[in-house]
Each structure stands twice: as C-alpha cells, then as structure tokens.
Amino acid sequence: MFIDHVKIYVKAGDGGNGIVAYRREKYVPMGGPSGGDGGKGSDIVFEVDKGLRTLMDFRFQKHFKGDKGTNGMSQNMHGKNAEDTVLKVPPGTIIKNAETDEVLADLTEHTERAVVAKGGRGGRGNSRFASPSNPAPDYAENGEPGQEFDIVLELKLMADVGLVGYPSVGKSTLLSMVSGAKPKTGSYHFTTIKPNLGVVNTPDNRSFVMADLPGLIEGAAEGVGLGHQFLRHVERTKLIVHMIDMSSTDGRNPYDDYVQINKELKAYNEQLAKRPQIIVANKMDLPDGEAGLELFNEQLDEPLEIIQISSITGEGIPELLYKIADKLEEVEQQMNESNITIDEREHRVVYRHEKSDEAFTISRADDGAYVVSGEAIERLFKMTDFNREAAIRRFARQMRGMGIDDALRKKGAKNGDTVRILEADFEFIE
C-alpha cells in the first residue's frame, strides 16, 4: 500500500530526576551534598532510508515516545542519557507541525537526519545548588519534560522524471516497458491510483528514475480527482514527460488536453510551469494518430519538438529514452551552475527548537481561579519536587523573580484567591 501522507504524535523523552543525597563516610566530617544530575531524555530523530518508498510504517503506529533519562545517583554520579529514538522515512519526506503547518524538516538525502522533538535535560541534583549561604541544600530538580506535539509527514517522491497526462494516455504502459516496474494497466480511467517508480536504463548505460503519476483532470489543482495527491509528487521531478493521446481514444481534443494539463500545473505551483518538458505523442499506431498530431501542430502558437511513440508496439521509445537522458544531463548541469534546488519555493530546514518568548500568561477560569500558563512556568512547575518544602520555597522565589506575583496583583488577585498552574491549585498569599 502506498502511503504518502500521515499524521502522528511524537513525545521526546523526559530528563531523569536529580536527587537529594549527602556524603556519609565515617572519615569525611561535614561531607556535604552529593546528589547527582539526571540523564538527558531521548530525542525524536527522523532519518532518511533510501530503501523506503512509502510512509507505510506510520500507517498503524501513530504514537512515538522517547525513553526517559536515568535518575541521578548518590556520590555525585549522573544518570545515563537515553538513546535517541530514530524513525526511518523515505527520501523526499517533509515534516510539518500539525497545528501551525510550519515546516520542521525537509529530508532528501540518504542518512540525512533531523531532530524534530528534543528530549528534556536532566534535573540537577542537590550538590549543584550548594553555596556559601546554603551549603547543604535539601532540594533537587525533576527532569525537564521532552517536547511533544502532533506532526504531519508528507512524502514527495524523489524521481528524475515524472510522467504526466490525462487518464488512460499510456503512462503506466510506458513505464512497464522501459523499467522493471509492474504498474496496473487497464482500459479505464484512473487505473493508476498511486505513483509507481521504475529505474530506466538506456542502451548507452545511462539511468534515471521515472515516476508514473496518477492521471490529471480539470480542477486537479483545487483537489478534483486525485488532485494534490498527484501534484505534490511532480514538484520533486527534474523533468516532466507530458504524454498526450494523439488518437483521441476518449473523444478528447489532444491540444485541449495539453493546455489543460499545463494550466493545472501552473495553478498548483508557478515553478512547475517553468519545469522542462518533453512532449510525447502516444498511440501513434492507431489510425487517427497521424491526423491528430497534424491537427495538434496546427493549433500550437509556436512549433514544439514532439516525440512520437507507441507504448504498445515500442515504436519511438528508444529515441524517447535517449532524449530524456540528454535533457536530464542538461538540466543537472544548469542546476549545478546556478546552485538552485528543484523546487525554489521549498528550503531544506532542520528544526531549531526555538523557545517561546512569552514566559507566562494569566487568565480566569470559570470557578474564579487565576490560571497561570506558559511554556516557561509550566516547565518550571514540572521540574519542581513538591514533596520537599525547600523545593516549594524555591519555586515560590522563582515565580516572584519571573514577575508572576506582581502580574497577579495587577489582575486583581487578593489574599486567599486560588492560583492554578496545570492541575495544581495554590493559595495566593500577600
């Protein structure tokens, strides 16, 4: 089954907890704190595997969670960092934040990696908080929570050549003749409902990857028919082979088909209209083929080079393959000279894990409680061990330092009012 679009949930591993410990050796008087730090949580990493051609692995398993770092130990021993959770994806995978639609990574090269969700750092042990004024701190940090969110994986095939055209113009038949691919063929529309890839070798030992892409119809750029499922895969191709049924088997006008296909490509992405094309007149073995080609040439505003073939008899196919290989070499040379990518509107991105500038916000709940939320304060809350009085006092000092107390007063909070952070309720005290 070909899967090219999935939505999954990822949760990086939490950091391990720091611990409270003291040296108690017999011959070490006033030994002091010795609690070690927790280990770092597992990152969620996506890695390209060129052996994959689909997102099938994410079809049924949609939740991925990284391992937690090991807790710290006594004698200032740090916990072990968790190993990264590596998820393999095919070349051409784009990773987006499902909520914001932001592109987090665009992976195209074999073994290329991107850290999409970052694991939490380990909590600090009590030895890290020792100071002249507090030589024996009685608190430690819990591990930082790992990042978590829903993401969308979108696959755009990495093919050199894309076969485009209306349904039943012979794209699948051509691919089956020139490569080892075995796409489904039939005398009805939309026989191909998924892209098929094949490696093509020319007699002079040149090779390229060809994709048989599902047939276009009018309105595809707006999602009609297979719509965007088809067009997304054209974006990665270096060269478009535009196949036209010159015999008008389905009663359509070949010139109208040609114009409509180019119109849909341009409507979806302006760059596709500028992509190099090879025009192929197929089904020239049928009686109306020659007449259809003559009429097609008359309707053109300017002459075009057209390769005549029959994907059934094989006539003209060797010449077509040579032409494709020559054009690919020309395109690749131009790309190297101009140093541009195939799709100029896309950029390779590796997620930078930027933290929110907004430390906290304050709102009112239905029961009248003041709700304090925000990435920074919620992370601080999760890293506090509320089983220890000293840690609670430290958390209160940190809230004051962030300006939360003053902000609550400005919002109208009075002595005894309820302040809520996540699932915990506190009493506001002047």
Side-chain angles (χ1 to χ4, degrees), residues 109-381:
E109 303 294 334
H110 181 56
T111 72
E112 186 178 11
R113 284 187 164 202
V115 178
V116 171
K118 195 172 182 180
R121 68 173 175 84
R124 291 173 289 181
N126 68 329
S127 61
R128 297 285 294 274
F129 298 104
S131 66
S133 61
N134 186 13
D138 189 28
Y139 57 85
E141 285 180 333
N142 292 335
E144 180 184 28
Q147 293 182 320
E148 58 179 314
F149 39 74
D150 291 322
I151 62 173
V152 171
L153 303 180
E154 184 178 286
L155 174 61
K156 296 180 181 179
L157 293 178
M158 301 295 293
D160 299 309
V161 181
L163 298 175
V164 305
Y166 262 83
S168 300
V169 296
K171 300 185 298 297
S172 299
T173 304
L174 174 64
L175 182 65
S176 66
M177 289 192 67
V178 300
S179 74
K182 301 300 178 186
K184 182 179 180 181
T185 59
S187 58
Y188 53 90
H189 288 184
F190 295 108
T191 309
T192 303
I193 59 173
K194 64 179 183 180
N196 293 290
L197 288 176
V199 178
V200 181
N201 294 299
T202 62
D204 58 354
N205 296 319
R206 290 182 290 177
S207 67
F208 50 86
V209 178
M210 180 181 285
D212 160 31
L213 301 168
L216 271 173
I217 59 175
E218 185 176 355
E222 286 74 44
V224 177
L226 294 173
H228 292 174
Q229 297 179 48
F230 160 83
L231 288 164
R232 99 163 48 101
H233 298 293
V234 186
E235 291 182 286
R236 296 290 194 190
T237 59
K238 301 173 185 176
L239 176 66
I240 294 174
V241 173
H242 191 156
M243 295 189 66
I244 303 171
D245 175 7
M246 285 298 174
S247 68
S248 303
T249 305
D250 291 327
R252 297 191 309 269
N253 183 297
Y255 179 76
D256 291 342
D257 285 2
Y258 170 75
V259 172
Q260 188 62 47
I261 293 293
N262 284 317
K263 179 180 177 181
E264 295 300 332
L265 293 175
K266 185 176 182 180
Y268 181 74
N269 182 355
E270 287 278 352
Q271 295 300 324
L272 291 182
K274 303 175 184 177
R275 195 68 45 85
Q277 281 193 24
I278 292 178
I279 311 303
V280 177
N282 192 24
K283 303 187 181 182
M284 295 300 294
D285 57 308
L286 298 180
D288 295 331
E290 291 292 341
L293 178 59
E294 184 178 345
L295 179 61
F296 181 86
N297 285 322
E298 291 175 359
Q299 292 176 295
L300 290 173
D301 295 331
E302 56 184 34
L304 291 175
E305 181 180 3
I306 301 174
I307 308 296
Q308 303 179 44
I309 72 165
S310 169
S311 55
I312 294 295
T313 66
E315 179 186 354
I317 288 181
E319 292 80 2
L320 172 62
L321 297 185
Y322 282 125
K323 181 66 176 179
I324 291 173
D326 291 342
K327 192 66 176 178
L328 279 175
E329 291 178 355
E330 181 183 323
V331 170
E332 288 170 356
Q333 183 178 352
Q334 291 174 354
M335 288 172 55
N336 292 333
E337 291 174 354
S338 58
N339 195 28
I340 62 173
T341 60
I342 288 297
D343 191 343
E344 295 177 349
R345 77 171 188 171
E346 293 183 351
H347 306 277
R348 297 274 289 282
V349 179
V350 175
Y351 191 28
R352 291 182 288 273
H353 309 288
E354 296 175 354
K355 293 184 178 179
S356 173
D357 295 332
E358 192 173 43
F360 65 89
T361 58
I362 298 175
S363 58
R364 295 295 296 272
D366 293 338
D367 60 1
Y370 290 86
V371 179
V372 182
S373 58
E375 182 180 330
I377 184 60
E378 290 175 5
R379 182 172 62 251
L380 185 63
F381 174 83

